[in-house]
Amino acid sequence: MNISYKWLKRYINLQDDAETVAKILTSIGLEVGTVEPVETIRGGLKGLYVGEVLTCVPHPNSDHMHLTTVNMGKVEAQCSEVDANGNHILQIVCGAPNVAVGQKVIVATIGTVLYDGDEKFTIKKGKLRGEDSFGMICAEDEIGVGTDHAGIIVLPADTPVGLPAADYYHIENDTIIEVDITPNRSDACSHYGVARDLYAYYKSRQNSAVSLQKPSVEAFKVDNNELPISVSVDAPDACPRYTGVSIKGVEIKESPEWLKNSLTAIGLRPINNVVDVTNFVLHECGQALHAFDADKIKGNEIHVRYARQGEKFITLDGVEREMNERDLMIANADEAMCIAGVFGGLESGVTENTQNVFLESAYFDPVTIRKTSRRHQLQTDASFRYERGCDPNNTLYVLKRAALLIQEVAGGTVAMNITDNGQTQWEPWPVTIQISRVNSLIGKAIGEDTIENILNALEIEITAKNGDVWQLAVPRYRVDVQRECDVVEDILRIYGYDNIEFPEKLNTSLAYGIKPDPEKLRRKIAEQLTAQGFNEILNNSLTKVSYYEPLSRLTLDTCVKIMNPLSQDLGVMRQTLLFGGLESIARNANRKNNDLKFYEFGNCYHYNGELKTKNYELIQNDPLKAYSEEPHLGLWLTGNKTAQSWVRREEKTSFYQLHAYVNNILVRLGVDVSKVTIERLEDELYSDGLVLKAVNGKTLGTIGIVSRKQLKVFDIDQEVYYADLAWEALLKQNKQYKAVITDLPKYPEVKRDFALLVDKSIEFADLARAAFSTEKKLLKNVYLFDVYEGKNLEPGKKSYALSFILQDAENTLKDTQIENIMNRLKATFEEKFNATLR
């Protein structure tokens, strides 16, 4: 939220500069993002002065230009000549038709920078049609004070020569303080709210020079009852208080400079005087208002009601919206005029033809407004404040304040008694605090006098004291302060976090961590993958509904749905990490970064509401069982494994490369890879893949090639390899792992090879398992170093070339032992797989 330093000073007589104020705001919990100077007119009219035209003759070489001399007074302009009186005289060529002797004009001297939108240009010494020109006599649009370009600006005759243009136009620079408002601080969503917090800071430090002034509304009065409008609140639960008043005979026109400058400084576009007042008061007091064209209120009746399901309504942006039965509407006798607290209607707002206005100031239920805002994807300044909770006791004051300002800038008379529907007085929040508890939470005894001083500065009334137990009445506008801990937080932020000293000793207790430590293992694997060239990604757990609509396994029915989604793009919680990774790949590929290796640790979420327990009771009866959350590790490979260079050719990534990375992870976690079973994967997310399972049959993960159908959704036109590892299952495997340290073998290993002719359906993993079951002691490893399918082989056959590593830790292997082992292996392959040696 943008806060104008100049605007802020209307309510608090600040002595500190904007930078100091920004530091104070951050220290008391209103974190400041940036502090930037702003100018109501770009460039601040620097280098522009009032001059007097002394001579004006036709240009000798032009039929429309004039050659002038201009008295600049004591302004020491470049290339000027000084007359006998010490005045600086400039020769300027001017093309304006209205230039004449004796005029007071605005002159841009050499070196002045002028702006035209985003473009800028610098006034330089020039020669126009052979005559020197040492400046420029300006028109309104050339310096940003208007839009007229028919001729130069002619000022009143009594304007002093040499007066800076910034002084003549009363240009006052401002500083914008960008405050990051947290969701709980609705009281600080305005200039007065920020001023109130600053005042509490200064008052708590006994700074009597600073005072807080709230604009008075005592001048408000009802002039007549010529435009009465009745109000009926049909939904008091959603609108506990509604106030309104009509103003007759207003003149819609451009706002005065002070009002336009105030809004422009904080980034708002002035519209007209009445609408600008409502925007001004919103940013002044934090209470949204709405101004209706009273002549468009049919039947002179206003009904605050819920919308009818499916009711059509055209909002101020020209979009027709279908309303929900829980949307609160402001309607007249026949039709809706406004989505309450969110957005106005196209037909009921103030226009240049408006003569009579009905002004609304209300307190709406924050939950109702928030749900409507999210439902229709409408985030406005009004909904921003209403959904956080406004001050219901401030409603009437704000209405009177806005009415007085409208009368000031647009005229008119108050033409009805104020209507005030609902609860008119809201009691403060009662809170009990214990001083010993306050000191304990703060970590320092700051003294009862200090605490009382801070509470008074925060407008928190102490209603009773009973020893160290105090009864407090917290103002209604502090919707976030309703518990003892909230009051302590408020005391601490005003006292100053920096004023709490670090203790000289640190107390701690022994804690026994779980084994294995999931976080430690996660970091270990993350470091391993990063060292292998992967980049870690972090994607939102909320994802698009459309990803799951066409799926048959991870269906929309098993998604955890968001009740009030910010958008359809964030409508459900993810059931797989795959789609987030594909989004990251698509984003990079669109920026010509095609060779990617990603990994992500993240949770996946499932709704199991229709599953049944052993007792045949629906799980949905137990919310804790109806939903599941599982940690996963995802890996993505795409593009080239190696880029082409003078020493090597380009090499594409492959399924086997990803399989190797997965194997490395399993080994690092202590999983016995030889005991992991591999099955063919049938899944719509993959065009081909494998399932990795532990000895107990639990799935450790899947690895495969992402299907073309899924890649098409993300406009990815290159192969993507993806592995999804079940992190909890891997951790359980790690629990069973025990590291064993042995000496390096003293005796050499022996390598023997087989070339086996087998059926095409036989896989290497089957052969390896059979080999290890045949020789459990001396067989240390089995490698596949060649696969051949083609000529000179029987149909339906393929050739596997295998290497067997044999080793005895206690003796050197003898030829007879080796021959015996190889014969047993051969017999096993022949018996189980009908294999033959080539």
Side-chain angles (χ1 to χ4, degrees):
M1 184 183 72
N2 289 335
I3 294 294
S4 160
Y5 177 72
K6 178 183 171 185
W7 190 343
L8 199 62
K9 292 175 72 174
R10 293 176 181 171
Y11 317 112
I12 181 170
N13 53 333
L14 293 169
Q15 309 298 319
D16 293 319
D17 59 24
E19 290 286 350
T20 304
V21 168
K23 291 177 182 177
I24 293 172
L25 289 174
T26 297
S27 74
I28 60 176
L30 300 178
E31 185 178 355
V32 171
T34 59
V35 179
E36 295 182 355
V38 296
E39 299 162 328
T40 51
I41 295 178
R42 193 176 179 189
L45 302 184
K46 296 175 183 176
L48 295 164
Y49 299 92
V50 175
E52 181 181 10
V53 180
L54 299 179
T55 65
C56 178
V57 297
H59 193 293
N61 302 315
S62 172
D63 58 357
H64 68 280
M65 291 185 179
H66 297 85
L67 191 62
T68 68
T69 56
V70 181
N71 175 19
M72 299 300 296
K74 305 303 180 183
V75 177
E76 297 181 0
Q78 291 185 44
C79 303
S80 62
E81 297 180 358
V82 182
D83 66 10
N85 297 319
N87 295 319
H88 292 257
I89 310 300
L90 288 177
Q91 177 174 298
I92 299 176
V93 175
C94 180
N98 64 326
V99 63
V101 172
Q103 291 175 338
K104 299 292 180 64
V105 294
I106 298 293
V107 177
T109 57
I110 292 175
T112 299
V113 178
L114 299 180
Y115 297 87
D116 181 14
D118 293 332
E119 302 294 327
K120 64 179 181 180
F121 62 95
T122 303
I123 302 299
K124 300 177 181 178
K125 175 183 176 181
K127 191 178 284 285
L128 299 177
R129 301 283 181 93
E131 297 292 336
D132 290 329
S133 183
F134 304 121
M136 184 174 89
I137 303 176
C138 302
E140 282 186 359
D141 64 329
E142 292 169 333
I143 63 173
V145 298
T147 58
D148 186 14
H149 193 71
I152 59 170
I153 300 169
V154 180
L155 304 177
D158 59 352
T159 307
V161 173
L163 179 71
D167 292 346
Y168 177 80
Y169 286 103
H170 306 291
I171 299 299
E172 296 184 23
N173 294 334
D174 198 358
T175 302
I176 295 301
I177 303 171
E178 183 189 13
V179 181
D180 299 326
I181 301 295
T182 53
N184 63 314
R185 292 302 307 276
S186 61
D187 62 294
C189 292
S190 65
H191 283 74
Y192 184 78
V194 172
R196 184 168 51 203
D197 247 25
L198 281 171
Y199 175 68
Y201 171 87
Y202 286 116
K203 185 178 179 182
S204 68
R205 284 152 179 77
Q206 308 298 325
N207 188 338
S208 58
V210 176
S211 59
L212 185 68
Q213 303 92 25
K214 190 173 185 178
S216 173
V217 294
E218 291 183 0
F220 176 86
K221 64 183 179 69
V222 177
D223 298 303
N224 53 62
N225 198 32
E226 296 177 358
L227 187 58
I229 293 176
S230 64
V231 175
S232 171
V233 178
D234 304 327
D237 56 327
C239 180
R241 189 177 189 185
Y242 188 97
T243 64
V245 71
S246 62
I247 304 174
K248 187 176 181 180
V250 298
E251 181 185 358
I252 305 302
K253 57 184 177 181
E254 187 178 346
S255 295
E257 289 298 320
W258 71 266
L259 182 53
K260 290 194 297 183
N261 291 344
S262 296
L263 297 178
T264 303
I266 61 172
L268 295 182
R269 179 177 62 87
I271 299 173
N272 61 53
N273 49 359
V274 171
V275 174
D276 290 350
V277 163
T278 62
N279 286 330
F280 177 85
V281 174
L282 180 146
H283 287 273
E284 177 184 60
C285 302
Q287 167 73 46
L289 304 107
H290 193 77
F292 297 95
D293 187 327
D295 296 328
K296 296 178 181 178
I297 301 176
K298 297 178 181 179
N300 281 355
E301 299 175 12
I302 281 185
H303 297 272
V304 184
R305 61 169 175 81
Y306 284 115
R308 293 180 289 274
Q309 184 66 38
E311 180 179 354
K312 298 292 192 294
F313 181 69
I314 301 176
T315 46
L316 200 56
D317 55 1
V319 176
E320 183 179 76
R321 303 179 190 274
E322 184 174 316
M323 308 311 294
N324 181 276
E325 62 184 357
R326 297 303 297 172
D327 293 332
L328 189 65
M329 308 297 291
I330 309 298
N332 57 37
D334 296 339
E335 59 192 4
M337 300 186 296
C338 174
I339 304 177
V342 180
F343 210 28
L346 185 63
E347 301 299 331
S348 61
V350 173
T351 68
E352 64 273 11
N353 299 319
T354 297
Q355 296 180 341
N356 304 311
V357 169
F358 178 79
L359 195 60
E360 163 198 284
S361 176
Y363 172 67
F364 299 118
D365 172 54
V367 175
T368 301
I369 301 304
R370 181 167 62 251
K371 288 184 176 181
T372 295
S373 174
R374 299 294 181 272
R375 195 178 291 124
H376 297 286
Q377 302 300 303
L378 287 170
Q379 281 80 45
T380 61
D381 282 339
S383 67
F384 178 84
R385 287 157 176 82
Y386 276 128
E387 67 188 29
R388 284 161 171 77
C390 294
D391 180 9
N393 289 325
N394 203 37
T395 304
L396 187 57
Y397 166 83
V398 170
L399 182 73
K400 292 179 178 180
R401 170 70 171 156
L404 287 171
L405 287 174
I406 288 175
Q407 286 183 294
E408 177 185 332
V409 303
T413 58
V414 176
M416 66 175 279
N417 291 318
I418 289 177
T419 178
D420 192 349
N421 294 62
Q423 185 175 340
T424 58
Q425 189 61 40
W426 299 67
E427 295 300 320
W429 306 110
V431 179
T432 301
I433 67 170
Q434 189 171 3
I435 301 303
S436 58
R437 174 73 172 161
V438 172
N439 291 331
S440 174
L441 288 174
I442 288 177
K444 176 183 178 179
I446 63 176
E448 292 188 11
D449 290 342
T450 302
I451 293 173
E452 185 170 356
N453 185 39
I454 291 174
L455 291 175
N456 289 334
L458 289 168
E459 299 181 359
I460 297 176
E461 182 185 356
I462 303 171
T463 58
K465 292 184 182 180
N466 184 12
D468 75 338
V469 177
W470 294 5
Q471 303 296 329
L472 308 179
V474 180
R476 199 75 189 193
Y477 61 78
R478 290 307 307 274
V479 295
D480 62 318
V481 182
Q482 301 182 36
R483 303 169 299 169
E484 181 185 41
C485 58
D486 299 329
V487 175
V488 174
E489 181 186 1
D490 249 23
I491 293 171
L492 180 55
R493 69 183 182 85
I494 298 300
Y495 179 76
Y497 294 100
D498 294 342
N499 294 324
I500 306 300
E501 300 83 4
F502 284 103
E504 295 182 358
K505 65 176 182 178
L506 180 65
N507 298 322
T508 185
S509 59
L510 294 175
Y512 297 93
I514 58 175
K515 301 292 184 181
D517 185 343
E519 184 59 27
K520 185 176 180 181
L521 289 176
R522 192 194 71 80
R523 287 197 303 267
K524 181 185 291 186
I525 298 304
E527 289 169 358
Q528 174 177 312
L529 290 170
T530 301
Q532 292 174 330
F534 280 80
N535 288 303
E536 184 174 10
I537 58 175
L538 292 172
N539 287 297
N540 199 334
S541 296
L542 302 179
T543 188
K544 292 184 179 181
V545 173
S546 59
Y547 291 159
Y548 296 95
E549 288 176 337
L551 301 184
S552 58
R553 182 174 66 86
L554 301 176
T555 66
L556 200 56
D557 291 335
T558 58
C559 282
V560 178
K561 300 179 178 66
I562 306 303
M563 294 181 65
N564 296 296
L566 294 174
S567 68
Q568 283 297 98
D569 287 351
L570 301 172
V572 296
M573 301 192 78
R574 64 187 176 193
Q575 296 190 72
T576 173
L577 301 180
L578 174 62
F579 300 131
L582 293 180
E583 287 176 350
S584 300
I585 289 172
R587 179 176 176 82
N588 279 269
N590 290 338
R591 289 157 178 79
K592 307 302 181 183
N593 185 20
N594 297 307
D595 305 332
L596 303 167
K597 297 162 74 174
F598 289 149
Y599 73 92
E600 178 179 10
F601 287 93
N603 291 344
C604 295
Y605 308 85
H606 304 275
Y607 174 64
N608 311 307
E610 295 302 322
L611 298 181
K612 294 183 178 180
T613 65
K614 293 180 180 178
N615 297 324
Y616 299 97
E617 295 177 355
L618 286 179
I619 286 180
Q620 63 184 0
N621 295 329
D622 185 348
L624 296 179
K625 295 179 180 178
Y627 298 93
S628 61
E629 177 180 352
E630 302 168 354
H632 283 251
L633 168 61
L635 284 78
W636 294 261
L637 278 185
T638 187
N640 291 328
K641 177 182 178 182
T642 57
Q644 183 173 351
S645 69
W646 66 277
V647 294
R648 59 186 176 187
R649 294 181 179 179
E650 178 181 280
E651 183 180 353
K652 296 286 186 183
T653 56
S654 67
F655 170 85
Y656 302 102
Q657 182 187 358
L658 181 58
H659 190 276
Y661 287 129
V662 171
N663 267 353
N664 289 339
I665 292 172
L666 298 180
V667 171
R668 190 71 183 275
L669 291 173
V671 179
D672 188 345
V673 179
S674 65
K675 296 180 180 179
V676 174
T677 58
I678 298 176
E679 300 176 2
R680 182 70 71 182
L681 174 64
E682 298 291 339
D683 193 287
E684 58 197 327
L685 299 180
Y686 300 90
S687 59
D688 197 6
L690 303 174
V691 180
L692 309 179
K693 292 190 174 182
V695 176
N696 60 6
K698 295 289 185 180
T699 299
L700 299 178
T702 58
I703 176 174
I705 307 169
V706 180
S707 72
R708 296 301 305 170
K709 182 179 179 181
Q710 296 301 325
L711 296 181
K712 187 176 180 181
V713 174
F714 298 88
D715 292 326
I716 299 173
D717 56 6
Q718 60 189 36
E719 209 79 85
V720 176
Y721 304 95
Y722 172 63
D724 183 2
L725 302 181
W727 188 244
E728 277 191 352
L730 292 176
L731 292 181
K732 290 178 180 177
Q733 291 293 309
N734 182 263
K735 285 183 179 179
Q736 304 169 12
Y737 171 66
K738 292 183 179 179
V740 178
I741 301 174
T742 59
D743 292 332
L744 288 173
K746 298 178 181 179
Y747 303 98
E749 63 181 29
V750 175
K751 178 183 176 185
R752 291 290 185 269
D753 298 336
F754 271 168
L756 297 175
L757 190 64
V758 296
D759 292 338
K760 285 188 175 181
S761 61
I762 304 301
E763 296 183 352
F764 165 69
D766 301 326
L767 298 173
R769 278 194 293 270
F772 282 115
S773 63
T774 301
E775 178 52 55
K776 298 179 180 179
K777 180 180 178 183
L778 300 181
L779 181 61
K780 303 302 179 183
N781 218 331
V782 181
Y783 295 107
L784 175 66
F785 66 87
D786 187 40
V787 180
Y788 176 72
E789 298 180 58
K791 292 189 299 183
N792 302 324
L793 293 183
E794 298 177 28
K797 297 288 185 178
K798 63 182 175 181
S799 176
Y800 274 153
L802 307 178
S803 287
F804 301 87
I805 306 300
L806 306 172
Q807 190 174 42
D808 191 337
E810 299 176 355
N811 297 291
T812 300
L813 287 173
K814 298 179 180 178
D815 289 341
T816 54
Q817 288 178 284
I818 299 170
E819 284 298 320
N820 181 41
I821 293 170
M822 299 308 294
N823 288 332
R824 286 193 291 116
L825 290 173
K826 176 185 173 185
T828 297
F829 295 146
E830 290 174 346
E831 179 183 346
K832 289 189 173 183
F833 306 105
N834 195 26
T836 58
L837 292 180
R838 288 187 66 198

